[in-house]
Amino acid sequence: MSEKFAANTTQKERGEAEKAFDYLIGDDSTAPSVIIDRFSENSHQYEKVLLTMNFSGHVQSAQSAAEWFPSNREDVYVLDVAAGTGLCADKLYSHGFRKIDALEPSVQMLQEAKKKGIYGRYFNVMLGENNVDIKSDTYDAVTISGLSVMVMKRLPRKAFEELIRIVKPGGYIINTVYHKLFSDDGDAEAVIFRDNMKTLESQGKWKQVELRRFKGYVSGDDGAVFVTKVL
């Protein structure tokens, strides 16, 4: 197992980060709206908490995006979903991506993201049964790396259908999350998530092109980069 905490952090910093992290993610009984409120309350320390907990989802998502778009990245149009404070945008930018928009349900998190000056447009939207006010076939790719696992597990199929709608045919949706969500003998509460992934493929809306497991997603747990190609 990878290290739970980042190196060069004190015991006090680790204890505070772990307490804040557990509060942020909640549990299976925590409503998504409550989780979003918690992220808003902690927007000022969000990055410090995640990086102390050895979070690498943003690094893995950006790396995968770079692999799927090996050239002309400055022309690739990306929507960063659950953009948070812009951690993933930072990494995407370092790989040469220049056209990046943010979709994030917390206004306070978006305010922090704006300080980086990387995103072009900002959408204060919570994915769910609602329509997203973005034109169809707009983006070449969607990245997801910081969405609360408790929210991810309960997202309705409509949310993923909206992402498919706004991505051009042949484009990619790059979703980085805990590996245990993908295994049938893994997280029992993630049945809806797994069923949605499989149903969308059986309906011919997208095709899985990558499921890469990696060490050290966050807090020492394994993560996975799940990439689907929009059909």
Side-chain angles (χ1 to χ4, degrees):
M1 179 176 287
S2 300
E3 292 295 327
K4 184 173 184 178
F5 300 104
N8 301 318
T9 53
T10 66
Q11 193 65 38
K12 180 182 179 182
E13 288 172 331
R14 294 177 179 186
E16 291 174 346
E18 187 167 30
K19 182 178 179 181
F21 180 75
D22 289 343
Y23 176 71
L24 279 172
I25 63 173
D27 55 34
D28 289 315
S29 66
T30 310
S33 60
V34 172
I35 292 174
I36 301 307
D37 287 343
R38 292 179 179 182
F39 275 72
S40 296
E41 293 167 16
N42 289 274
S43 59
H44 63 290
Q45 64 170 351
Y46 171 79
E47 290 192 10
K48 181 180 179 180
V49 169
L50 259 65
L51 296 179
T52 300
M53 298 301 294
N54 254 354
F55 176 69
S56 69
H58 57 308
V59 176
Q60 296 289 339
S61 284
Q63 177 185 318
S64 184
E67 290 169 356
W68 286 102
F69 294 95
S71 61
N72 301 317
R73 293 176 191 149
E74 68 277 5
D75 297 322
V76 176
Y77 201 3
V78 181
L79 178 67
D80 188 21
V81 171
T85 57
L87 281 173
C88 189
D90 255 345
K91 295 301 180 182
L92 286 168
Y93 195 89
S94 72
H95 282 290
F97 294 94
R98 294 294 181 266
K99 297 171 63 178
I100 313 168
D101 291 344
L103 187 148
E104 164 62 43
S106 166
V107 173
Q108 289 86 346
M109 295 285 274
L110 281 181
Q111 288 173 344
E112 293 295 322
K114 287 178 180 179
K115 296 176 183 178
K116 289 184 168 65
I118 296 176
Y119 295 116
R121 296 191 293 172
Y122 298 84
F123 299 97
N124 180 214
V125 176
M126 175 67 183
L127 288 175
E129 293 288 359
N130 52 301
N131 294 322
V132 178
D133 189 19
I134 298 175
K135 291 182 179 179
S136 299
D137 302 339
T138 294
Y139 296 100
D140 299 296
V142 160
T143 54
I144 312 170
S145 63
L147 181 61
S148 163
V149 65
M150 300 306 170
V151 175
M152 177 77 77
K153 290 192 291 186
R154 286 176 279 183
L155 276 181
R157 193 176 308 148
K158 168 69 174 177
F160 295 103
E161 289 172 341
E162 276 295 275
L163 295 181
I164 291 169
R165 180 184 65 78
I166 63 179
V167 173
K168 301 171 186 175
Y172 300 96
I173 297 175
I174 301 166
N175 188 1
T176 305
V177 70
Y178 287 97
H179 179 265
K180 61 186 177 183
L181 264 65
F182 296 97
S183 174
D184 287 335
D185 60 356
D187 191 328
E189 299 298 326
V191 174
I192 294 174
F193 173 80
R194 290 193 287 271
D195 286 348
N196 284 339
M197 301 303 99
K198 295 172 183 176
T199 298
L200 290 168
E201 180 150 13
S202 67
Q203 291 176 342
K205 294 181 179 180
W206 70 15
K207 177 182 179 181
Q208 177 183 325
V209 293
E210 180 182 6
L211 179 59
R212 174 171 59 84
R213 183 173 185 170
F214 63 90
K215 299 287 186 182
Y217 170 61
V218 66
S219 193
D221 290 328
D222 285 4
V225 180
F226 177 63
V227 184
T228 49
K229 185 175 184 178
V230 174
L231 303 176

